[in-house]
Amino acid sequence: MRVTGATDEAVSEAASIIGQGGLVAFPTETVYGLGADALNPMACARIFEVKNRPRFDPLIVHITDVSRLHDLCAVVNTRASELAGVFWPGPLTLVLPKSDLVPGIVTAELDTVAVRVPANPVALRLLEESGTPIAAPSANPFGYISPTTAQHVEEQLGERVDLILDGGECRVGVESTIIDLTGEDPALLRAGGLSLEDIEAVIGSVDIPAVHPEKPIAPGQLPSHYSPRTRLVIVSGDPVLVGGEARAGLLAFRTPTHTEGYAAVEVLSPEDDVREAAANLFGALHRLDNADLDIIYAEPVPESGLGRAIMDRLRRAAQQ
Ligand code: TXA
Ligand code: MG
C-alpha cells in the first residue's frame, strides 16, 4: 500500500488498479471512499473483506454524471431527475430500482441500488479515467469512525488497500444524505451532508421512516455505528466534570466557557456554524479516540440543517 498525492500519474495508476480489480481509497467531498470496479463482483467482494463489512450492507455506486444513472437504474423517476439536476455533483445518494448491469453483491441482493456523483475533482478524475462506475463505502473498518483524511485511511486500513490517493481534508466531513425514491413518497434513509430542508425545497415533503434496529433499511441505521473505541456520552448543557480519576475528553460544539479538568478538548465550531462543525466532526473524534481517554463527553448541536447528520452520528457513537 502507498499513500500518494493525487497527481495525474497517480490518478492514472489508481484507474488501472481499479481496472485490474484492485482497491483504491480516494477522497470525496464527504469522506474517503474505498473504491472498486462496481461491475466486477470479485473486486467488490474484497471491499467487504477489507472493511470486515457484513454482506447484507449494500454499497454506494459512484458515477461521473447523471447520464450514467440510466445504465445502473431500471427506472429514473421525475424526482430523481430533479434532485440529480439540482444537487449533483454533491453529497446526495439516490436509491432507485437497479438494472441488470449491477452485480448482486453490490446491492446485497436488493432490487434497488444507491448511486451518487461526488463533488470532488480527484474522485471525478478517477471515475472518468476508470471508465466504470466505482462502488465505494467509507474507507474505515465497519462500524468505526469514518475517515476524512488520507492519514485516517492509512491508520485504519493500511496494508489492505492497494493505493491511497491523498486529496487533503474532506470539505463536507459527514457522509452523503441518502434518499429512497422507490416508494410512493420519498424517504430519508440517512441524514448527511445535504440538509433535508434543501431537499424538501426541491421535491416537497420527505418521510422520515421509523427505524427498527433489528431490521435496518440502511445499515447506516444500525444503532451502533461511527463509533470511537472510547466510551462517548452526550451531555446537555455546559458539561462540568464530576471529578474522579477518569481521563475525560470534551467534544464541544462552540468554544466552551470552562475546560478545567479535561485531558483533551475539541471545539467543532468556534464560529457557531453546523456546517463547520460537520466538517470537523470525524477528525475531532479520531483525535479524541487517540488521546488515551477513559470517556468522551459530547455536547449536542442544534438539530437543523447539517446538525441533523451530526446528532445522528453522535447518537450512534454513544451506542457502543
Ligand atoms: O458520502 C458517502 O456516501 C460515502 C462516500 C465514500 O461516497 N460513502 C458511504 O458509504 O458513506 P457507506 O457504505 O459507508 O454507507 C452506505 C450506506 C449504507 O448504510 C447502506 O446501507 C446504504 O448506503 N445503501 C446502499 N445501498 C442501498 C440500498 N439499495 N438501499 C438502501 N440503503 C442502501
Ligand atoms: Mg460508512
Side-chain angles (χ1 to χ4, degrees), residues 113-195:
V113 62
V115 187
R116 84 179 191 99
V117 178
N120 176 291
V122 177
L124 288 171
R125 264 158 55 207
L126 177 63
L127 281 161
E128 246 147 54
E129 284 216 31
S130 303
T132 184
I134 294 182
S138 49
N140 53 315
F142 185 71
Y144 190 62
I145 309 165
S146 297
T148 51
T149 65
Q151 289 66 42
H152 293 157
V153 182
E154 193 181 9
E155 279 165 30
Q156 296 176 24
L157 297 178
E159 297 303 314
R160 287 173 284 171
V161 184
D162 297 313
L163 188 68
I164 300 174
L165 285 177
D166 186 349
E169 247 178 78
C170 299
R171 176 171 57 79
V172 175
V174 290
E175 296 85 348
S176 60
T177 303
I178 306 180
I179 301 284
D180 182 355
L181 294 173
T182 60
E184 197 165 311
D185 295 315
L188 177 72
L189 297 187
R190 177 175 74 185
L194 182 66
S195 77

Coordinates of all heavy atoms in Angstrom, one line a residue, residues 113-195:
V113 N -30.6 0.1 -6.0 CA -29.2 0.5 -6.0 C -29.1 1.9 -5.5 O -29.9 2.8 -5.8 CB -28.5 0.3 -7.4 CG1 -29.1 1.1 -8.4 CG2 -27.0 0.5 -7.3
A114 N -28.0 2.2 -4.7 CA -27.7 3.5 -4.2 C -26.6 4.2 -5.1 O -25.6 3.6 -5.3 CB -27.3 3.5 -2.8
V115 N -26.9 5.4 -5.6 CA -26.0 6.0 -6.6 C -25.8 7.5 -6.3 O -26.7 8.2 -5.8 CB -26.6 5.9 -8.0 CG1 -25.6 6.4 -9.1 CG2 -27.1 4.6 -8.4
R116 N -24.5 7.9 -6.5 CA -24.3 9.4 -6.4 C -23.1 9.8 -7.3 O -22.3 9.0 -7.7 CB -24.0 9.8 -4.9 CG -22.6 9.6 -4.4 CD -22.6 10.1 -2.9 NE -21.3 10.2 -2.4 CZ -20.6 11.4 -2.3 NH1 -21.1 12.5 -2.7 NH2 -19.4 11.4 -1.8
V117 N -23.1 11.1 -7.5 CA -22.0 11.8 -8.2 C -21.2 12.6 -7.2 O -21.8 13.6 -6.7 CB -22.5 12.7 -9.4 CG1 -21.3 13.4 -10.1 CG2 -23.3 11.9 -10.4
P118 N -20.0 12.3 -6.9 CA -19.3 13.0 -5.8 C -18.8 14.4 -6.3 O -18.4 14.5 -7.5 CB -18.1 12.1 -5.5 CG -17.9 11.3 -6.7 CD -19.2 11.1 -7.4
A119 N -18.8 15.4 -5.5 CA -18.3 16.7 -5.8 C -16.8 16.9 -5.4 O -16.6 17.6 -4.4 CB -19.2 17.8 -5.2
N120 N -16.0 16.1 -6.0 CA -14.5 16.2 -5.6 C -13.8 16.0 -6.9 O -14.0 15.0 -7.6 CB -14.2 15.2 -4.5 CG -12.7 15.2 -4.2 OD1 -11.9 14.8 -5.0 ND2 -12.4 15.6 -3.0
P121 N -12.9 16.9 -7.2 CA -12.2 16.8 -8.5 C -11.3 15.5 -8.7 O -11.3 14.9 -9.8 CB -11.3 18.0 -8.6 CG -11.3 18.6 -7.2 CD -12.5 18.1 -6.5
V122 N -10.7 15.0 -7.6 CA -9.9 13.8 -7.7 C -10.9 12.6 -7.9 O -10.6 11.7 -8.8 CB -9.1 13.6 -6.4 CG1 -8.3 12.3 -6.5 CG2 -8.2 14.8 -6.1
A123 N -12.0 12.6 -7.2 CA -12.9 11.5 -7.4 C -13.4 11.4 -8.8 O -13.5 10.4 -9.5 CB -14.1 11.6 -6.4
L124 N -13.8 12.6 -9.3 CA -14.3 12.7 -10.7 C -13.3 12.3 -11.7 O -13.6 11.6 -12.7 CB -14.9 14.1 -11.0 CG -16.2 14.4 -10.2 CD1 -16.6 15.9 -10.3 CD2 -17.3 13.5 -10.7
R125 N -12.0 12.7 -11.5 CA -11.0 12.3 -12.5 C -10.8 10.8 -12.4 O -10.6 10.1 -13.5 CB -9.6 13.0 -12.1 CG -9.4 14.3 -13.0 CD -8.5 15.2 -12.3 NE -7.2 14.6 -12.0 CZ -6.4 15.1 -11.0 NH1 -6.8 16.1 -10.2 NH2 -5.2 14.5 -10.7
L126 N -10.8 10.2 -11.2 CA -10.6 8.8 -11.1 C -11.8 8.0 -11.8 O -11.6 7.1 -12.5 CB -10.6 8.4 -9.6 CG -10.5 6.9 -9.3 CD1 -9.2 6.3 -9.9 CD2 -10.6 6.6 -7.8
L127 N -13.0 8.5 -11.6 CA -14.2 7.9 -12.3 C -14.0 8.0 -13.8 O -14.3 7.0 -14.5 CB -15.5 8.6 -11.8 CG -16.0 8.2 -10.4 CD1 -16.9 9.2 -9.9 CD2 -16.6 6.8 -10.5
E128 N -13.6 9.1 -14.3 CA -13.5 9.3 -15.7 C -12.5 8.4 -16.3 O -12.7 7.7 -17.3 CB -13.2 10.8 -16.0 CG -14.3 11.5 -16.8 CD -14.4 12.9 -16.4 OE1 -13.3 13.6 -16.5 OE2 -15.4 13.4 -16.0
E129 N -11.3 8.4 -15.7 CA -10.2 7.5 -16.2 C -10.5 6.1 -16.1 O -10.0 5.3 -16.9 CB -8.9 7.9 -15.5 CG -8.3 9.2 -16.0 CD -6.8 9.1 -16.0 OE1 -6.2 8.1 -16.3 OE2 -6.2 10.2 -15.8
S130 N -11.2 5.7 -15.0 CA -11.5 4.3 -14.9 C -12.5 3.8 -15.9 O -12.5 2.6 -16.3 CB -12.1 4.0 -13.5 OG -11.2 4.4 -12.5
G131 N -13.4 4.7 -16.3 CA -14.4 4.4 -17.3 C -15.4 3.3 -16.8 O -16.1 2.6 -17.6
T132 N -15.6 3.2 -15.5 CA -16.5 2.3 -14.9 C -17.1 2.9 -13.7 O -16.4 3.8 -13.0 CB -15.9 0.9 -14.6 OG1 -16.8 0.0 -14.2 CG2 -14.8 1.1 -13.5
P133 N -18.3 2.6 -13.3 CA -18.8 3.1 -12.0 C -18.0 2.5 -10.9 O -17.5 1.3 -11.0 CB -20.3 2.6 -11.9 CG -20.5 1.6 -13.1 CD -19.3 1.8 -14.0
I134 N -17.8 3.2 -9.8 CA -17.0 2.7 -8.7 C -17.8 2.6 -7.4 O -18.5 3.5 -7.0 CB -15.8 3.7 -8.4 CG1 -14.8 3.7 -9.6 CG2 -15.0 3.3 -7.2 CD1 -13.6 4.6 -9.5
A135 N -17.9 1.3 -6.9 CA -18.6 1.1 -5.7 C -17.6 1.5 -4.5 O -16.4 1.1 -4.5 CB -18.9 -0.4 -5.5
A136 N -18.1 2.3 -3.6 CA -17.2 2.8 -2.5 C -18.0 3.1 -1.3 O -18.7 4.1 -1.2 CB -16.4 4.0 -3.0
P137 N -17.8 2.3 -0.2 CA -18.2 2.7 1.1 C -17.2 3.6 1.7 O -16.1 3.8 1.1 CB -18.3 1.3 1.8 CG -17.2 0.5 1.2 CD -17.1 1.0 -0.3
S138 N -17.4 4.1 2.9 CA -16.4 4.9 3.6 C -15.2 3.9 3.9 O -15.4 2.8 4.1 CB -17.0 5.4 4.8 OG -17.7 4.4 5.6
A139 N -14.0 4.5 3.8 CA -12.8 3.7 3.9 C -12.4 3.5 5.3 O -11.3 3.8 5.7 CB -11.7 4.4 3.1
N140 N -13.3 2.9 6.1 CA -13.0 2.6 7.5 C -13.4 1.2 7.8 O -14.2 0.6 7.1 CB -13.7 3.6 8.4 CG -15.2 3.6 8.1 OD1 -15.6 3.6 7.0 ND2 -16.0 3.5 9.2
P141 N -12.8 0.6 8.9 CA -13.4 -0.7 9.3 C -14.8 -0.6 9.7 O -15.2 0.5 10.2 CB -12.5 -1.1 10.5 CG -11.3 -0.2 10.5 CD -11.8 1.0 9.8
F142 N -15.7 -1.6 9.4 CA -17.1 -1.5 9.6 C -17.4 -1.0 11.1 O -16.9 -1.6 12.0 CB -17.7 -2.8 9.4 CG -19.2 -2.8 9.5 CD1 -20.0 -2.2 8.5 CD2 -19.9 -3.4 10.6 CE1 -21.4 -2.1 8.6 CE2 -21.3 -3.3 10.7 CZ -22.0 -2.7 9.7
G143 N -18.3 0.0 11.2 CA -18.7 0.4 12.5 C -17.9 1.5 13.1 O -18.3 2.2 14.1
Y144 N -16.6 1.7 12.6 CA -15.7 2.7 13.2 C -15.9 4.1 12.6 O -16.7 4.2 11.6 CB -14.3 2.2 13.1 CG -13.3 3.0 13.9 CD1 -13.4 3.0 15.3 CD2 -12.2 3.7 13.3 CE1 -12.5 3.8 16.0 CE2 -11.3 4.4 14.0 CZ -11.5 4.5 15.4 OH -10.6 5.2 16.1
I145 N -15.2 5.1 13.2 CA -15.4 6.5 12.7 C -14.9 6.6 11.2 O -13.9 6.1 10.9 CB -14.4 7.4 13.6 CG1 -14.7 7.2 15.1 CG2 -14.6 8.9 13.1 CD1 -13.6 7.8 15.9
S146 N -15.7 7.3 10.4 CA -15.3 7.5 9.0 C -14.1 8.3 8.8 O -13.8 9.2 9.6 CB -16.5 8.0 8.2 OG -17.6 7.2 8.3
P147 N -13.3 8.1 7.8 CA -12.1 8.8 7.5 C -12.3 10.1 6.7 O -13.0 10.1 5.7 CB -11.2 7.9 6.7 CG -12.2 7.1 5.9 CD -13.5 7.0 6.8
T148 N -11.7 11.2 7.2 CA -11.8 12.5 6.4 C -10.4 13.0 6.0 O -10.3 14.1 5.4 CB -12.5 13.6 7.3 OG1 -11.9 13.7 8.5 CG2 -14.0 13.2 7.5
T149 N -9.4 12.2 6.2 CA -8.1 12.4 5.7 C -7.5 11.1 5.2 O -7.9 10.0 5.6 CB -7.1 13.0 6.7 OG1 -6.9 12.0 7.7 CG2 -7.6 14.3 7.4
A150 N -6.4 11.3 4.3 CA -5.7 10.1 3.8 C -5.0 9.4 5.0 O -4.9 8.1 5.0 CB -4.7 10.5 2.8
Q151 N -4.6 10.1 6.0 CA -3.9 9.5 7.2 C -4.9 8.6 8.0 O -4.5 7.6 8.5 CB -3.3 10.6 8.1 CG -2.1 11.3 7.5 CD -2.5 12.2 6.2 OE1 -3.5 12.8 6.2 NE2 -1.6 12.1 5.2
H152 N -6.1 9.1 8.1 CA -7.1 8.2 8.8 C -7.2 6.9 8.1 O -7.3 5.8 8.7 CB -8.5 8.9 8.8 CG -8.7 10.1 9.6 ND1 -9.6 11.0 9.3 CD2 -8.0 10.6 10.6 CE1 -9.5 12.0 10.2 NE2 -8.5 11.8 11.0
V153 N -7.2 6.9 6.7 CA -7.4 5.6 6.0 C -6.1 4.8 6.2 O -6.2 3.6 6.5 CB -7.5 5.9 4.4 CG1 -7.7 4.6 3.7 CG2 -8.7 6.8 4.2
E154 N -5.0 5.4 6.2 CA -3.7 4.7 6.4 C -3.7 4.0 7.7 O -3.3 2.9 7.9 CB -2.5 5.7 6.2 CG -1.2 5.0 6.1 CD -0.1 5.9 6.0 OE1 -0.3 7.2 6.1 OE2 1.0 5.4 5.7
E155 N -4.1 4.8 8.8 CA -4.1 4.2 10.1 C -5.1 3.0 10.2 O -4.8 2.1 10.9 CB -4.6 5.3 11.1 CG -3.5 6.3 11.5 CD -4.1 7.5 12.2 OE1 -5.2 7.4 12.9 OE2 -3.5 8.6 12.1
Q156 N -6.2 3.2 9.6 CA -7.3 2.2 9.8 C -7.2 1.0 8.9 O -7.5 -0.1 9.3 CB -8.6 2.8 9.6 CG -8.9 3.9 10.6 CD -10.2 4.6 10.3 OE1 -11.1 4.1 9.7 NE2 -10.3 5.8 10.8
L157 N -6.8 1.2 7.6 CA -6.8 0.1 6.7 C -5.5 -0.3 6.1 O -5.3 -1.4 5.6 CB -7.8 0.4 5.5 CG -9.3 0.6 5.9 CD1 -10.1 0.9 4.7 CD2 -9.8 -0.7 6.6
G158 N -4.5 0.6 6.3 CA -3.1 0.4 5.9 C -2.9 -0.5 4.8 O -3.3 -0.2 3.7
E159 N -2.2 -1.6 5.1 CA -1.7 -2.6 4.1 C -2.8 -3.2 3.2 O -2.5 -3.8 2.2 CB -0.9 -3.7 4.8 CG 0.3 -3.2 5.5 CD 1.2 -2.5 4.6 OE1 1.5 -3.0 3.5 OE2 1.7 -1.4 5.0
R160 N -4.1 -3.1 3.7 CA -5.1 -3.8 3.0 C -5.6 -3.1 1.7 O -6.5 -3.6 1.0 CB -6.2 -4.2 3.9 CG -5.8 -5.3 4.9 CD -6.8 -5.5 6.0 NE -6.8 -4.5 7.0 CZ -7.7 -4.3 7.9 NH1 -8.7 -5.1 8.0 NH2 -7.6 -3.4 8.8
V161 N -5.1 -1.9 1.5 CA -5.6 -1.1 0.3 C -4.4 -1.1 -0.7 O -3.3 -0.9 -0.3 CB -6.0 0.3 0.7 CG1 -6.6 1.1 -0.4 CG2 -7.0 0.2 1.9
D162 N -4.7 -1.2 -2.0 CA -3.6 -1.1 -3.0 C -3.0 0.3 -3.1 O -1.8 0.4 -3.3 CB -4.1 -1.6 -4.3 CG -4.6 -3.1 -4.2 OD1 -3.8 -3.9 -3.7 OD2 -5.7 -3.4 -4.7
L163 N -3.8 1.3 -3.1 CA -3.3 2.7 -3.2 C -4.3 3.6 -2.5 O -5.5 3.4 -2.5 CB -3.3 3.0 -4.7 CG -2.6 4.4 -5.0 CD1 -1.1 4.3 -4.8 CD2 -2.8 4.7 -6.5
I164 N -3.7 4.6 -1.8 CA -4.5 5.7 -1.2 C -4.2 7.0 -1.8 O -3.0 7.4 -1.8 CB -4.2 5.8 0.4 CG1 -4.5 4.4 1.1 CG2 -5.0 6.9 1.0 CD1 -4.1 4.4 2.5
L165 N -5.1 7.6 -2.5 CA -5.0 8.9 -3.1 C -5.2 10.0 -2.1 O -6.3 10.0 -1.5 CB -5.9 9.1 -4.3 CG -5.7 8.3 -5.6 CD1 -6.8 8.6 -6.6 CD2 -4.4 8.8 -6.2
D166 N -4.2 10.8 -1.8 CA -4.4 11.8 -0.8 C -4.8 13.1 -1.5 O -4.1 13.8 -2.2 CB -3.0 12.1 -0.1 CG -3.1 13.1 1.0 OD1 -4.2 13.7 1.2 OD2 -2.1 13.2 1.8
G167 N -6.1 13.5 -1.2 CA -6.6 14.7 -1.8 C -6.9 15.7 -0.7 O -7.8 16.6 -0.8
G168 N -6.2 15.6 0.4 CA -6.5 16.6 1.5 C -7.7 16.3 2.3 O -8.3 15.2 2.2
E169 N -8.1 17.2 3.1 CA -9.2 17.0 4.0 C -10.6 17.1 3.3 O -10.7 17.9 2.4 CB -9.2 18.1 5.1 CG -9.0 17.6 6.5 CD -8.9 18.7 7.5 OE1 -10.0 19.2 7.9 OE2 -7.8 19.1 7.9
C170 N -11.5 16.3 3.7 CA -12.8 16.3 3.0 C -13.6 17.6 3.5 O -13.7 17.9 4.6 CB -13.7 15.1 3.4 SG -12.9 13.5 2.9
R171 N -14.2 18.2 2.5 CA -14.8 19.5 2.7 C -16.0 19.4 3.5 O -16.3 20.2 4.5 CB -15.1 20.1 1.3 CG -15.8 21.5 1.3 CD -15.8 22.0 -0.1 NE -16.4 21.1 -1.1 CZ -17.7 20.9 -1.3 NH1 -18.6 21.6 -0.5 NH2 -18.2 20.1 -2.2
V172 N -16.9 18.5 3.3 CA -18.2 18.4 4.0 C -18.0 17.6 5.3 O -18.5 18.1 6.3 CB -19.2 17.7 3.1 CG1 -20.6 17.5 3.8 CG2 -19.5 18.5 1.8
G173 N -17.3 16.5 5.3 CA -17.0 15.8 6.5 C -17.9 14.8 7.1 O -17.6 14.1 8.0
V174 N -19.2 14.8 6.6 CA -20.1 13.7 7.0 C -20.6 13.1 5.7 O -20.5 13.7 4.6 CB -21.3 14.1 7.9 CG1 -20.8 14.5 9.3 CG2 -22.1 15.2 7.2
E175 N -21.0 11.8 5.8 CA -21.4 11.1 4.6 C -22.6 11.7 3.9 O -23.3 12.5 4.5 CB -21.8 9.6 5.0 CG -20.6 8.8 5.5 CD -20.4 9.0 7.0 OE1 -21.0 9.9 7.6 OE2 -19.7 8.1 7.6
S176 N -22.8 11.2 2.7 CA -23.9 11.8 1.9 C -25.3 11.5 2.5 O -25.5 10.5 3.3 CB -23.9 11.2 0.5 OG -24.0 9.8 0.6
T177 N -26.3 12.3 2.2 CA -27.6 12.1 2.6 C -28.2 11.1 1.7 O -28.0 11.1 0.5 CB -28.4 13.4 2.5 OG1 -27.8 14.4 3.3 CG2 -29.9 13.2 2.9
I178 N -28.9 10.0 2.2 CA -29.5 9.0 1.3 C -31.0 9.1 1.3 O -31.7 9.1 2.3 CB -29.1 7.6 1.8 CG1 -27.6 7.4 2.0 CG2 -29.7 6.5 0.9 CD1 -27.1 6.1 2.5
I179 N -31.5 9.3 0.1 CA -33.0 9.4 -0.1 C -33.5 8.2 -0.9 O -32.9 7.9 -2.0 CB -33.3 10.7 -0.9 CG1 -32.9 11.9 -0.1 CG2 -34.8 10.7 -1.2 CD1 -33.7 12.3 1.1
D180 N -34.4 7.5 -0.4 CA -35.1 6.3 -1.1 C -36.2 6.9 -2.0 O -37.2 7.4 -1.5 CB -35.6 5.3 -0.1 CG -36.2 4.1 -0.7 OD1 -36.3 4.0 -2.0 OD2 -36.5 3.2 0.0
L181 N -36.1 6.7 -3.3 CA -37.1 7.2 -4.2 C -37.9 6.0 -4.9 O -38.5 6.2 -5.9 CB -36.4 8.0 -5.3 CG -35.8 9.3 -4.9 CD1 -35.0 10.0 -6.0 CD2 -36.8 10.3 -4.3
T182 N -37.8 4.8 -4.2 CA -38.5 3.7 -4.8 C -40.0 3.6 -4.4 O -40.8 2.8 -5.0 CB -37.8 2.4 -4.5 OG1 -37.8 2.2 -3.1 CG2 -36.4 2.4 -5.0
G183 N -40.3 4.2 -3.3 CA -41.7 4.1 -2.8 C -42.6 5.2 -3.3 O -42.2 6.0 -4.1
E184 N -43.8 5.3 -2.8 CA -44.8 6.3 -3.2 C -44.2 7.7 -2.8 O -44.3 8.6 -3.6 CB -46.1 6.0 -2.6 CG -47.2 6.8 -3.3 CD -48.6 6.2 -2.9 OE1 -48.7 4.9 -2.9 OE2 -49.4 7.0 -2.5
D185 N -43.8 7.8 -1.6 CA -43.2 9.0 -1.1 C -41.7 8.9 -0.9 O -41.3 7.8 -0.5 CB -43.9 9.4 0.3 CG -45.3 9.7 0.1 OD1 -45.7 10.4 -0.9 OD2 -46.1 9.2 0.9
P186 N -41.0 9.9 -1.1 CA -39.5 9.8 -0.9 C -39.3 9.7 0.6 O -40.0 10.2 1.5 CB -39.0 11.2 -1.3 CG -40.1 12.1 -1.6 CD -41.4 11.2 -1.6
A187 N -38.2 8.9 1.0 CA -37.9 8.7 2.4 C -36.4 8.9 2.7 O -35.5 8.6 1.8 CB -38.2 7.2 2.7
L188 N -36.2 9.5 3.8 CA -34.8 9.7 4.3 C -34.2 8.5 4.9 O -34.7 8.1 6.0 CB -34.8 10.9 5.3 CG -33.4 11.3 5.9 CD1 -32.5 11.9 4.9 CD2 -33.6 12.1 7.1
L189 N -33.2 7.9 4.3 CA -32.6 6.7 4.9 C -31.4 7.0 5.8 O -31.0 6.3 6.7 CB -32.2 5.7 3.8 CG -33.3 5.1 3.0 CD1 -32.7 4.0 2.1 CD2 -34.4 4.6 3.8
R190 N -30.7 8.1 5.5 CA -29.6 8.6 6.3 C -29.5 10.1 6.2 O -29.4 10.6 5.1 CB -28.3 7.9 5.8 CG -27.0 8.4 6.6 CD -25.8 7.6 6.2 NE -25.3 8.0 4.9 CZ -24.2 7.5 4.3 NH1 -23.6 6.4 4.9 NH2 -23.8 7.9 3.1
A191 N -29.5 10.8 7.3 CA -29.2 12.2 7.3 C -27.7 12.4 7.0 O -26.9 11.6 7.4 CB -29.5 12.8 8.7
G192 N -27.4 13.4 6.2 CA -26.0 13.5 5.8 C -25.6 14.9 5.4 O -26.2 15.9 5.8
G193 N -24.7 15.0 4.5 CA -24.0 16.3 4.1 C -24.9 17.3 3.3 O -24.5 18.4 3.1
L194 N -26.1 16.8 2.9 CA -27.0 17.8 2.2 C -28.3 17.8 3.2 O -28.8 16.8 3.6 CB -27.4 17.3 0.9 CG -28.4 18.2 0.1 CD1 -27.8 19.5 -0.3 CD2 -28.9 17.5 -1.2
S195 N -28.7 19.0 3.5 CA -29.7 19.1 4.5 C -31.1 18.7 4.0 O -31.4 18.8 2.8 CB -29.8 20.5 5.1 OG -30.5 21.4 4.2

